[in-house]
């Protein structure tokens, strides 16, 4: 009996040790999977789950779609301001960034920009040591501008636009507008997909699903129409001599 008891005790002890022992590491070692990769995979799963549960009603979907489409429209406006016409406008420098201590920084955050006349811009950096960097960033941009650095102020004379250049600028306007409309339609697709998933899951009925999709389409049409109007006004500005 003592022998049998000893054997049972040994087996039980071994079972408990196995239960609390760390999992075998041979698989992980074989794949050389770093800890941060596992963490990233876990984060991705969590994010995906959160996104799939983001909306609880069609109203939330439509509000999100409206917000994202508005951002697309604002992006079109911002990009169009960088297309220069024959008149001086500080906004043409909005997207020109300077490497300032390793950080890409917009010129309007590093200097004051003035319009002394309709054909000239002046840039007065807060830190005079970066004047060369600002000048270089303007030259390397695709704006076709030639800044004049006198060591204190950078002057930019806005040249008259040739007919060929105007045609190129019109193409840029159309391209920016098309990019904006593609962005809006992508938002529409996401919204419709979300509504269809809610219907499939039984969260909403067929009528509510159809009504929400119709509302999203109306919002899409309105946003596309607004972008067309914005681009058209910019094209008129470009063509004005």
């Amino acid at each position: 009996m003592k022998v049998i008891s000893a054997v049972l005790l040994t087996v039980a002890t071994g079972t408990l040790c196995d239960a609390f022992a760390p999992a075998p590491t041979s698989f992980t070692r074989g794949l050389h999977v770093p800890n941060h990769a596992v963490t990233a995979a876990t984060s991705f799963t969590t994010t995906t789950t959160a996104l799939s549960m983001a909306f609880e009603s069609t109203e939330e979907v439509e509000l999100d779609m409206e917000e994202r489409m508005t951002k697309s429209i604002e992006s079109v406006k911002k990009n169009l301001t960088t297309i220069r016409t024959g008149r001086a406008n500080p906004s043409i420098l909005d997207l020109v960034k300077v490497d300032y201590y390793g950080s890409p920084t917009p010129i309007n955050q590093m200097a004051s920009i003035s319009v002394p006349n309709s054909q000239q811009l002046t840039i007065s950096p807060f830190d005079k040591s970066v004047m060369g960097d600002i000048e270089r960033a303007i030259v390397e941009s695709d704006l076709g501008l030639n800044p004049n650095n006198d060591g204190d102020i950078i002057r930019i004379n806005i040249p008259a636009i040739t007919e060929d250049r105007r045609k190129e600028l019109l193409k840029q306007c159309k391209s920016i507008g098309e990019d904006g409309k593609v962005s809006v339609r992508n938002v529409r697709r996401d919204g419709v997909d979300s509504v269809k998933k809610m219907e499939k899951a039984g969260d909403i009925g067929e009528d509510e699903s159809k009504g929400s999709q119709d509302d999203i389409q109306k919002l899409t049409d309105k946003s596309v129409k607004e972008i067309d109007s914005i681009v058209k006004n910019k094209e008129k500005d470009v063509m004005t001599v």
Side-chain angles (χ1 to χ4, degrees):
M1 291 295 292
K2 290 182 179 181
V3 174
I4 295 174
S5 298
V7 172
L8 290 175
L9 179 60
T10 302
V11 173
T13 304
T15 304
L16 288 173
C17 290
D18 289 341
F20 289 96
T25 57
S26 57
F27 179 74
T28 302
R29 287 173 183 167
L31 290 177
H32 298 286
V33 181
N35 290 334
H36 69 268
V38 177
T39 303
T42 304
S43 299
F44 177 79
T45 303
T46 303
T47 304
T48 304
T49 304
L51 286 174
S52 65
M53 298 176 62
F55 303 114
E56 296 183 357
S57 67
T58 55
E59 289 79 7
E60 287 186 8
V61 174
E62 291 169 28
L63 286 173
D64 181 70
M65 297 302 99
E66 184 174 9
E67 181 180 348
R68 291 172 60 190
M69 288 183 187
T70 298
K71 288 181 179 179
S72 296
I73 294 171
E74 291 303 315
S75 179
V76 169
K77 290 179 180 178
K78 182 177 181 180
N79 289 331
L80 286 175
T81 60
T82 64
I83 295 181
R84 71 177 182 86
T85 60
R87 296 180 300 281
N89 187 337
S91 61
I92 65 174
L93 301 175
D94 282 355
L95 296 185
V96 179
K97 296 185 178 181
V98 181
D99 185 1
Y100 188 57
Y101 293 104
S103 177
T105 307
I107 293 178
N108 56 20
Q109 293 182 16
M110 304 172 61
S112 60
I113 305 175
S114 304
V115 186
N117 59 64
S118 62
Q119 298 299 123
Q120 188 180 80
L121 293 174
T122 60
I123 302 172
S124 181
F126 306 132
D127 179 1
K128 300 300 182 183
S129 68
V130 298
M131 291 193 68
D133 296 326
I134 293 176
E135 180 183 12
R136 189 179 308 109
I138 295 172
V139 171
E140 292 177 354
S141 70
D142 60 353
L143 294 175
L145 301 174
N146 295 308
N148 179 22
N149 181 358
D150 66 5
D152 184 47
I153 291 177
I154 297 175
R155 292 182 173 83
I156 301 176
N157 292 318
I158 307 300
I161 301 177
T162 64
E163 191 63 28
D164 288 341
R165 180 59 177 165
R166 289 184 194 279
K167 291 179 181 179
E168 291 178 9
L169 295 177
L170 288 176
K171 290 180 181 179
Q172 290 183 26
C173 290
K174 291 184 183 298
S175 178
I176 291 173
E178 286 303 315
D179 287 345
K181 289 190 283 188
V182 168
S183 177
V184 166
R185 289 172 182 136
N186 286 340
V187 172
R188 172 195 170 279
R189 180 198 59 208
D190 291 345
V192 170
D193 286 347
S194 295
V195 171
K196 287 182 177 179
K197 287 179 181 178
M198 294 173 70
E199 179 185 359
K200 186 176 181 180
D203 297 330
I204 59 175
E206 182 179 352
D207 290 343
E208 184 176 354
S209 175
K210 185 178 183 304
S212 182
Q213 291 181 54
D214 288 343
D215 289 340
I216 292 174
Q217 183 60 53
K218 289 176 183 177
L219 183 59
T220 303
D221 294 340
K222 178 183 175 183
S223 298
V224 167
K225 186 176 180 180
E226 185 172 351
I227 289 175
D228 285 336
S229 177
I230 293 169
V231 171
K232 186 176 181 180
N233 288 336
K234 183 64 179 183
E235 289 175 338
K236 287 182 180 178
D237 195 23
V238 169
M239 292 305 294
T240 300
V241 181

